[in-house]
Amino acid sequence: MAYDRYIAIYKPLQYSSIITRRLITRLAIVFVVRAVVLIGPFLVMIKRFPAFKTNVIAHSYCEHMAVVKLAAADIRVNSIYGLFVAFTVVGVDLLFIFFSYIMIFNTVFSLPSRDARLKAFNTCTPHMCVFLSFYSMALFSYLSHRYGEKIPPDVHIIFSDIYLLVPPMLNPLVYGIKTNQIREEIWKLIKKH
């Protein structure tokens, strides 16, 4: 999204020739391959455990650390690799987003009129809100499983569920609130109540 916003601001007339279906397909393939390469070893690492304390996961979905905590063996390798994956994914993503936004801000500040700069910033605001909500919740979820021994299990489950549910629920709101028709309908609903 940050790269998309950069092209939309920096080269708006060439947008459709740069952001093509072919580019989007290639990016999707890269992200799928990244996920398989980074997440695939988890399956092998879990399979190597000789036994588990129980077969009931105290979680609302099958999360890696929830399964690993059931193992009747040393889980340090899984925990370290899990942190490596979390920080690799978040770090690489944030690095790309950071550099994209540096290029965006350089472009925005070079725009001639104040209105053009404001419009360009308004294009970026929803994306920044969504990615901040997603990554902050993701980091909390990853770190609380590893270092939050004093956090009750119910809180872990609630925050993990929030991490999976809230950002996707916010996406349409954050991106749609700028649409006049959606904004008008929301105001109508608010005024009725």
Side-chain angles (χ1 to χ4, degrees), residues 90-187:
V90 171
V92 169
D93 289 356
L94 288 179
L95 192 66
F96 279 118
I97 291 168
F98 177 75
F99 284 119
S100 293
Y101 273 102
I102 285 175
M103 293 186 313
I104 287 169
F105 291 143
N106 282 337
T107 302
V108 168
F109 290 128
S110 68
L111 293 173
S113 73
R114 183 178 185 272
D115 288 340
R117 287 192 297 271
L118 190 59
K119 186 176 180 180
F121 274 124
N122 283 337
T123 302
C124 299
T125 304
H127 177 250
M128 289 171 36
C129 292
V130 168
F131 97 81
L132 284 174
S133 70
F134 178 78
Y135 284 111
S136 61
M137 288 184 200
L139 277 175
F140 179 81
S141 179
Y142 293 143
L143 295 175
S144 68
H145 270 293
R146 279 140 182 101
Y147 302 112
E149 293 89 20
K150 295 180 182 176
I151 298 174
D154 294 343
V155 174
H156 281 289
I157 293 168
I158 289 169
F159 274 103
S160 293
D161 290 344
I162 288 172
Y163 152 66
L164 288 177
L165 296 174
V166 171
M169 287 173 32
L170 285 177
N171 277 350
L173 293 174
V174 169
Y175 289 111
I177 202 74
K178 294 178 77 174
T179 306
N180 288 333
Q181 293 168 325
I182 294 173
R183 196 168 43 236
E184 288 170 8
E185 290 299 318
I186 290 172
W187 279 116

